[in-house]
Amino acid sequence: MSPVPSQRSIGDVLLKLDGISLAFGGVKALDDVSFEVRSHEIRAIIGPNGAGKSSLLNVINGVYHPSQGAVTYKGTTYRQMRPHEAARRGIARTFQNIALFKGMTVLDNIMTGRTLKMHAGFLFQCLYFGKARSEELAHRRKVEHIIDFLQIEHIRKTPVGRLAYGLQKRVELARALAAEPELLLLDEPMAGMNLEEKEDMCRFILDVNDEFGTTIVLIEHDMGVVMDLSDRVVVLDYGRKIGDGSPDEVRRNQAVIDAYLGVRH
Amino acid sequence: MLYREAGQFKTTYGADQAVFPIRQDQLFIALWLAVGLVLVPLVSSEYLLRAILIPFLILALAALGLNLLVGYCGQLSLGTGGFMAVGAYAAYNLCVRIPALNPLVAFLLAGGVSTLVGIAFGIPSLRIKGYYLAVATLAAQFFLDWVFSRVAWFSNNTPSGSITAPPVTLFELTFDTPVKKYLLCLSILVLFAAVAKNLVRGRIGRAWMATRDMDVAAEIIGIRPMYAKLSAFAVSSFFIGVAGGLWAFVHLGSWEPLAFDVNRSFSILFMVIIGGLGSILGSFLGAAFITVLPLVLNQLPQWLGISISTAMISHLEAMIFGCLIVFFLIVEPLGLARLWRIGKEKLRLWPFPY
Amino acid sequence: MGFFLEVVLGGLMAGVLYSLVALGFVLIFKASGVFNFAQGAMVLFAALTLVRLMEILKQTFSPFLIALLLTIAVMIALAWVIERLVLRPLVNQPGISLFMATLGISYILDGFGQAVWGSDVYALDVGVPKRPIVLFESMVPGGVLVPSEDLAAALIAGLLMLGLGVFFQRTRIGRALRAVADDHQAAQSVGIPLNYIWVIVWSVAGLVALVAGIVWGSKLGVQFSLGLVALKALPVLILGGFESIVGAVVGGLIIGVGEKVSEVYLGPAVGGGIENWFAYVLALLFLLVRPEGLFGERHIDRV
């Protein structure tokens, strides 16, 4: 991972959503949503609860398949993508309700993030010999960088189930980073945190974007965080896009204000 | 105080990831191996070897295989007996129809056959989980039961249905005495346990555990559920198949399909549960426990001076098994292995109270 | 034609027996999300208790009635004990743990029942007339012989199905039971008394087990193999859906008929014994094609 110069130079379009609609039975989760995300930027998705934000991330990631519309990522358009293909193409994510592997330690959890980069054959695995061993150690080194970066050295051997909520969220971020993604999807990374933890998390996200040049799409409810962190914002309400632009533009958008205040429309 | 890591600094990641990083553990294991390889064969009676140690070693291998599938990968399987039968009958047929084939090689090939069958019956796991998968594996069990009793070809057309295995040899050595059988089984178990440990601490083991803990998240990281689950079925069935071959050739000598029925499946599942899901040590502890328990129960009335009929003893045995299962699930779901680990934790402080 | 009808009818009757056992499973699963592996053991235990009590009470004026009442009391007590000692400590544990706990319970019940009551085969006579009834005389020469106890069993199963269906859909307790099956914690936080509910459910399941035991026992005699029926009920549940009362009945009938027909018509070609695994292989096929069964509900995992 070569560091990108500190002034984040926003690049070309990395991800483009065209007319995405998603329905579960009779419920329309997303209705004709279109926007794009540029390389190296931080894009926030905001909106009242139930607006379809998590569903949007799930579509980008391949967990849900849209009933209409297409997703274009790095130039390739696709309608149906399996989650592990998304991972292979360089998309990583975290979840609203932490999706860590509760039965494993922090170190093991983060190591699973390196899965796609491990290629040693089965026989070598059985004997823990040659390529398997050297790979394991090389990846351990990389994972330790991330552990240092996120300051979780003291808990690396702790089973994840025993950690406090804030630390679990950090471990989940570490796991996502372990895959060295180009696009990082964060689903409410600061939910349930106090002020200190939020500041730490903000700092980490900015560092990730600065140092590794990772493009970040995040869902967030805290307006302060959104205004500070993001380059551009998308606003959803009832599955539809009602705002798209810089944080200031969006803040002054009447439709957005109405949505949040619950004005009937 | 004796059992502490203090003063043992790891300077490389390699040292940190060793199987037994703490020096006391390394000594302990070396001691156990010495006892197992040297002391036990010297002092054990034939009865001890035949009735306790050899079955324990073979069933520990089967329990290890099942633990990889159920404990590490989270796929419930009730067909263990059936896969042991596949291993046994495959080994038998290979030996009988290819007389030049060495039985040890036959075991490995039989393990391979068991692997293929295991993968076939593991395919439903891609679509179903939990209880549903249990039913699918039960289907495998009953179907395999039927195949081996009805299709005479597998028993080499023996009219009685009971078949006898040829003796196990390696070059000039025939494993006919209990001591030799014991050493054979011990070596095989140690070898397989090492393989299991290596798998479990590497990429594949992590993929299994991730699939067990949250398969949706695992897929999103890039772990393909198909490979993870089927590889677990494959490796598990290999272990269980080889165990089946050993059970038939080395322990039983002669057998019929009933030796591998659904009760055998349950017994091995109990070993895994009581010993500890997701723990290699647990497989051994569970196997030891379940092998020794019936014998203890059988002898107990004599020691206490009460006389109970054998029928009653088997009823009591069933009740005690049931109670133990429930007890372990409530009190220590992670089984004996966890109790062992707690014990080690306490040992770090001993002789100080805190 | 007549023979085929007889085989089918025989299969239907066997199917009714399976359905009765499956009903007990469905009850508990529907109400607590637990797959009760011990249901078969409960059938055996109930039947054993009834039979032996009847023998002890031989001299009284109505051994069956008194024994029946006592057995009902025993099954309710059993439900209470199970709830107190097994279910309560394991509340909120994953389903697999509870399943394995019921595996343990089945071993305990088997051992205990036989330790107390003995393991011989006992004949059960509940006073149903043994004379077979002849049906379909108009369609088939000579008619088709149907044992009247089988008809009685079919009638009982039908009534049970209706009763339980109404209970779950229409009553307040039924709704509470469905809530509990969905989410223990949530149900508790709404104020549903989990412990009380579970005792009720397991008691009712125990009574269903008793009915099944009576029906099976009078047909086959009360013996240890009754407990193995539990294993047969699993495919019934797969076919019908784990949560469906109607499914349990329909699934049972399909398996009953399927087994008999395949045994009679395909059996000779493969050396017999198809009955042992037909149900399972059918269930396996269903699992691959339609895992939730004919009447079950699809589960959607939210991420």
Side-chain angles (χ1 to χ4, degrees):
Chain A
M1 294 187 233
S2 50
V4 171
S6 261
Q7 316 141 269
R8 291 178 278 129
S9 46
I10 309 237
D12 298 323
V13 171
L14 179 68
L15 173 73
K16 189 151 130 67
L17 274 73
D18 273 313
I20 298 283
S21 291
L22 179 68
F24 295 115
V27 179
K28 252 200 159 168
L30 294 169
D31 193 359
D32 196 31
V33 175
S34 306
F35 66 91
E36 101 267 332
V37 180
R38 293 175 171 272
S39 289
H40 311 312
E41 79 171 327
I42 299 183
R43 198 88 147 93
I45 302 180
I46 65 175
N49 278 318
K53 310 188 290 289
S54 288
S55 305
L56 197 54
L57 284 193
N58 282 337
V59 165
I60 297 176
N61 183 221
V63 177
Y64 293 158
H65 298 145
S67 28
Q68 274 171 320
V71 179
T72 307
Y73 177 65
K74 289 205 281 196
T76 329
T77 310
Y78 52 83
R79 270 280 303 276
Q80 309 255 7
M81 181 169 65
R82 300 297 322 268
H84 62 80
E85 276 171 43
R88 241 184 313 129
R89 295 211 176 106
I91 305 179
R93 76 171 279 184
T94 65
F95 296 86
Q96 205 172 353
N97 307 314
I98 300 177
L100 286 172
F101 305 122
K102 295 273 160 76
M104 290 156 65
T105 62
V106 168
L107 187 58
D108 278 334
N109 263 279
I110 307 177
M111 286 288 271
T112 63
R114 303 290 298 172
T115 301
L116 286 174
K117 308 201 188 281
M118 295 184 148
H119 303 295
F122 184 76
L123 207 55
F124 287 116
Q125 293 277 334
C126 284
L127 303 173
Y128 198 68
F129 163 80
K131 191 159 180 222
R133 186 159 195 275
S134 53
E135 241 188 9
E136 188 84 9
L137 292 174
H139 288 298
R140 170 78 189 264
R141 195 147 297 167
K142 276 266 149 66
V143 164
E144 289 286 344
H145 279 314
I146 297 174
I147 289 180
D148 282 341
F149 178 69
L150 289 176
Q151 295 165 7
I152 44 178
E153 302 94 328
H154 55 295
I155 49 168
R156 63 158 83 77
K157 293 279 174 86
T158 317
V160 141
R162 273 198 239 154
L163 293 174
Y165 186 77
L167 282 175
Q168 284 188 7
K169 281 219 136 150
R170 229 189 272 183
V171 173
E172 220 198 350
L173 181 61
R175 189 181 64 183
L177 290 177
E180 295 178 37
E182 284 176 56
L183 176 62
L184 184 57
L185 308 173
L186 301 173
D187 196 339
E188 298 198 35
M190 320 213 196
M193 289 188 178
N194 63 29
L195 194 55
E196 250 180 62
E197 290 170 329
K198 277 196 191 181
E199 282 176 1
D200 282 340
M201 201 50 133
C202 274
R203 188 165 37 92
F204 290 138
I205 294 178
L206 281 173
D207 283 345
V208 167
N209 181 258
D210 264 344
E211 269 189 54
F212 306 129
T214 316
T215 312
I216 298 182
V217 174
L218 82 148
I219 296 177
E220 188 44 58
H221 278 296
D222 186 329
M223 281 308 138
V225 167
V226 171
M227 297 303 153
D228 283 340
L229 277 190
S230 45
D231 296 313
R232 289 193 297 158
V233 179
V234 175
V235 190
L236 292 182
D237 187 27
Y238 285 109
R240 270 185 241 114
K241 185 174 87 166
I242 60 173
D244 185 352
S246 77
D248 277 329
E249 286 166 18
V250 158
R251 199 192 349 216
R252 281 179 261 126
N253 183 327
Q254 189 58 42
V256 173
I257 298 173
D258 285 345
Y260 271 97
L261 288 179
V263 172
R264 245 184 220 292
H265 55 271
Chain B
M1 190 185 98
L2 289 174
Y3 186 72
R4 285 198 83 101
E5 310 162 320
Q8 297 178 32
F9 295 106
K10 312 284 180 302
T11 47
T12 64
Y13 290 129
D16 188 45
Q17 291 188 179
V19 179
F20 300 110
I22 304 178
R23 200 169 305 132
Q24 286 91 332
D25 275 336
Q26 291 166 357
L27 285 172
F28 194 60
I29 289 295
L31 200 65
W32 266 109
L33 278 175
V35 165
L37 284 170
V38 178
L39 189 63
V40 168
L42 285 177
V43 302
S44 309
S45 70
E46 202 171 289
Y47 170 75
L48 189 66
L49 287 170
R50 264 226 168 89
I52 302 184
L53 291 172
I54 292 178
F56 157 67
L57 290 172
I58 304 177
L59 291 177
L61 180 61
L64 182 57
L66 188 62
N67 211 341
L68 292 177
L69 183 61
V70 179
Y72 284 95
C73 194
Q75 310 298 310
L76 186 55
S77 167
L78 295 175
T80 317
F83 293 129
M84 281 179 82
V86 172
Y89 279 91
Y92 173 75
N93 276 284
L94 284 167
C95 286
V96 157
R97 291 164 205 285
I98 312 176
L101 191 64
N102 179 300
L104 288 173
V105 176
F107 287 155
L108 291 176
L109 292 172
V113 174
S114 187
T115 304
L116 292 172
V117 175
I119 293 179
F121 279 104
I123 290 178
S125 75
L126 301 176
R127 292 202 61 191
I128 58 182
K129 308 179 195 178
Y131 311 135
Y132 303 95
L133 186 59
V135 172
T137 53
L138 265 183
Q141 169 75 47
F142 288 126
F143 182 70
L144 290 168
D145 271 350
W146 178 83
V147 163
F148 290 124
S149 8
R150 297 297 169 142
V151 180
W153 185 85
F154 289 111
S155 315
N156 206 18
N157 298 306
T158 326
S160 68
S162 162
I163 50 182
T164 308
V168 181
T169 59
L170 181 64
F171 307 119
E172 295 303 316
L173 185 65
T174 308
F175 295 98
D176 45 9
T177 68
V179 172
K180 289 190 203 147
K181 289 183 181 182
Y182 163 79
L183 288 171
L184 174 69
C185 294
L186 182 62
S187 328
I188 294 182
L189 182 63
V190 168
L191 185 65
F192 274 68
V195 169
K197 186 66 184 176
N198 285 333
L199 281 176
V200 152
R201 61 179 170 150
R203 161 179 67 95
I204 296 181
R206 279 194 294 268
W208 288 345
M209 291 192 273
T211 308
R212 170 195 69 193
D213 286 340
M214 199 177 283
D215 50 358
V216 184
E219 194 175 1
I220 291 179
I221 297 182
I223 296 172
R224 305 184 63 173
M226 181 177 83
Y227 286 156
K229 292 181 187 179
L230 288 184
S231 64
F233 268 97
V235 173
S236 166
S237 310
F238 185 77
F239 277 47
I240 295 176
V242 171
L246 284 174
W247 188 255
F249 279 56
V250 174
H251 177 59
L252 293 177
S254 311
W255 74 94
E256 26 175 53
L258 228 67
F260 301 109
D261 68 355
V262 70
N263 288 310
R264 176 67 57 205
S265 301
F266 282 138
S267 136
I268 299 180
L269 183 63
F270 289 160
M271 289 179 198
V272 169
I273 298 176
I274 291 182
L277 289 161
S279 156
I280 293 185
L281 176 64
S283 320
F284 299 154
L285 294 175
F289 193 79
I290 302 253
T291 308
V292 166
L293 190 65
L295 296 168
V296 166
L297 285 179
N298 265 312
Q299 300 294 338
L300 201 60
Q302 269 177 14
W303 295 339
L304 293 176
I306 328 171
S307 75
I308 313 182
S309 71
T310 33
M312 184 60 86
I313 289 185
S314 67
H315 298 322
L316 284 175
E317 202 179 293
M319 283 179 64
I320 294 184
F321 265 134
C323 288
L324 280 171
I325 297 281
V326 174
F327 174 77
F328 268 98
L329 283 169
I330 294 177
V331 170
E332 187 48 83
L334 296 170
L336 292 171
R338 174 107 178 95
L339 291 176
W340 173 264
R341 252 173 268 146
I342 294 178
K344 284 210 305 191
E345 286 295 310
K346 296 251 169 4
L347 202 55
R348 290 163 134 242
L349 297 170
W350 184 81
F352 302 114
Y354 57 86
Chain C
M1 175 63 179
F3 178 63
F4 178 71
L5 258 183
E6 231 171 67
V7 172
V8 168
L9 278 173
L12 283 174
M13 295 309 168
V16 165
L17 299 178
Y18 291 143
S19 305
L20 278 174
V21 182
L23 267 176
F25 277 106
V26 168
L27 267 180
I28 294 188
F29 193 83
K30 219 169 150 65
S32 57
V34 175
F35 185 84
N36 176 22
F37 196 85
Q39 189 70 22
M42 281 163 68
V43 169
L44 174 63
F45 184 71
L48 259 181
T49 310
L50 182 66
V51 152
R52 300 293 267 130
L53 280 177
M54 275 173 70
E55 211 176 284
I56 295 176
L57 298 168
K58 238 183 329 201
Q59 306 302 327
T60 61
F61 69 96
S62 176
F64 174 63
L65 208 55
I66 303 182
L68 186 66
L69 289 171
L70 282 175
T71 311
I72 292 178
V74 165
M75 296 310 282
I76 295 180
L78 179 67
W80 190 85
V81 166
I82 289 179
E83 190 277 321
R84 194 74 183 65
L85 295 180
V86 179
L87 296 179
R88 211 182 289 187
L90 287 176
V91 79
N92 289 328
Q93 292 288 338
I96 290 295
S97 298
L98 286 161
F99 168 69
M100 298 201 273
T102 61
L103 197 56
I105 295 176
S106 79
Y107 267 70
I108 299 177
L109 269 183
D110 271 344
F112 181 66
Q114 289 179 68
V116 172
W117 298 124
S119 37
D120 299 325
V121 181
Y122 300 102
L124 180 60
D125 180 7
V126 294
V128 177
K130 298 268 191 240
R131 208 170 9 103
I133 302 179
V134 183
L135 293 179
F136 299 125
E137 282 204 68
S138 49
M139 283 181 12
V140 176
V144 174
L145 242 56
V146 176
S148 47
E149 42 189 17
D150 286 353
L151 274 177
L155 202 62
I156 295 175
L159 286 171
L160 257 183
M161 177 180 96
L162 272 168
L164 290 172
V166 165
F167 177 68
F168 270 97
Q169 287 300 125
R170 302 294 164 113
T171 66
R172 190 180 54 135
I173 294 189
R175 190 169 41 237
L177 291 177
R178 284 186 283 142
V180 168
D182 238 6
D183 189 334
H184 295 177
Q185 260 183 325
Q188 263 177 319
S189 52
V190 185
I192 296 178
L194 231 46
N195 308 325
Y196 183 56
I197 293 282
W198 274 342
V199 174
I200 294 181
V201 172
W202 281 72
S203 304
V204 175
L207 297 180
V208 171
L210 177 57
V211 170
I214 294 176
V215 169
W216 273 98
S218 47
K219 194 166 169 59
L220 299 174
V222 177
Q223 52 181 307
F224 181 59
S225 59
L226 225 51
L228 299 174
V229 171
L231 294 175
K232 266 293 171 59
L234 283 169
V236 172
L237 292 167
I238 299 281
L239 251 72
F242 276 72
E243 295 125 356
S244 167
I245 293 175
V246 172
V249 174
V250 171
L253 293 177
I254 295 178
I255 295 225
V257 171
E259 264 185 357
K260 278 282 182 309
V261 167
S262 64
E263 180 68 39
V264 167
Y265 288 99
L266 294 175
V270 289
I274 291 191
E275 279 185 308
N276 292 348
W277 52 262
F278 175 82
Y280 283 95
V281 174
L282 188 60
L284 192 56
L285 291 170
F286 253 82
L287 282 175
L288 297 173
V289 170
R290 198 188 154 86
E292 66 275 13
L294 293 169
F295 297 93
E297 297 157 6
R298 290 221 95 167
H299 286 284
I300 304 182
D301 281 317
R302 277 213 87 170
V303 178

